[in-house]
Amino acid sequence: MIATSEFLKNYFFLIFLSSSFLSVNAGLNSFTNLIFIEDWLIERKVDLTLNEIKCRASIPSHANWFGARVRLGHNDELIKPSWITVKADQVLYSKLVKIKELLDDCRSGLLFLPETP
């Protein structure tokens, strides 16, 4: 019984130790999904070469590729491709203000803790 418990402790320790060496992308040098706010997706990228955090927002229901989505541009301006129709409530001024605030929070540092509604 004691040998089994010692074996299990060692086994779990080795599993924990080996998993700490696994690589996790987590938004390093490529955009990864961070949070959905209603229809809007906020993505984040930590650019290790430039040492900066980049965040972007889009409505992913219209296309797989970011450039073909309704999105906020570099200066947080609304970009809507002409061939895409959106519901009026998706681009309400109040919703865009909220998304822009979240983007500012996202860009402000590594720790991003959005307020829950």
Side-chain angles (χ1 to χ4, degrees):
M1 183 74 165
I2 294 175
T4 303
S5 111
E6 189 66 30
F7 170 77
L8 286 175
K9 279 198 282 186
N10 290 337
Y11 177 75
F12 285 120
F13 175 74
L14 288 173
I15 294 278
F16 175 74
L17 185 65
S18 64
S19 67
S20 66
F21 294 113
L22 296 175
S23 160
V24 177
N25 285 334
L28 298 177
N29 294 322
S30 64
F31 281 98
T32 55
N33 296 354
L34 190 59
I35 186 173
F36 271 96
I37 302 297
E38 297 177 34
D39 299 322
W40 287 83
L41 168 65
I42 295 181
E43 299 172 280
R44 176 185 235 178
K45 172 182 173 180
V46 178
D47 191 333
L48 297 176
T49 57
L50 298 175
N51 201 22
E52 65 183 22
I53 297 171
K54 297 179 181 180
C55 298
R56 64 186 188 185
S58 66
I59 301 175
S61 61
H62 300 290
N64 291 333
W65 184 59
F66 184 78
R69 297 179 184 178
V70 173
R71 63 193 183 279
L72 295 180
H74 292 290
N75 297 319
D76 291 341
E77 74 278 5
L78 181 65
I79 299 172
K80 186 186 127 348
S82 60
W83 64 89
I84 295 177
T85 57
V86 293
K87 299 176 198 164
D89 68 328
Q90 290 178 312
V91 292
L92 283 174
Y93 178 77
S94 59
K95 187 179 286 189
L96 293 177
V97 167
K98 182 179 181 180
I99 298 299
K100 290 175 184 182
E101 288 172 358
L102 286 169
L103 283 174
D104 287 341
D105 288 346
C106 177
R107 294 173 183 135
S108 68
L110 285 176
L111 189 58
F112 174 66
L113 300 171
E115 293 180 21
T116 54

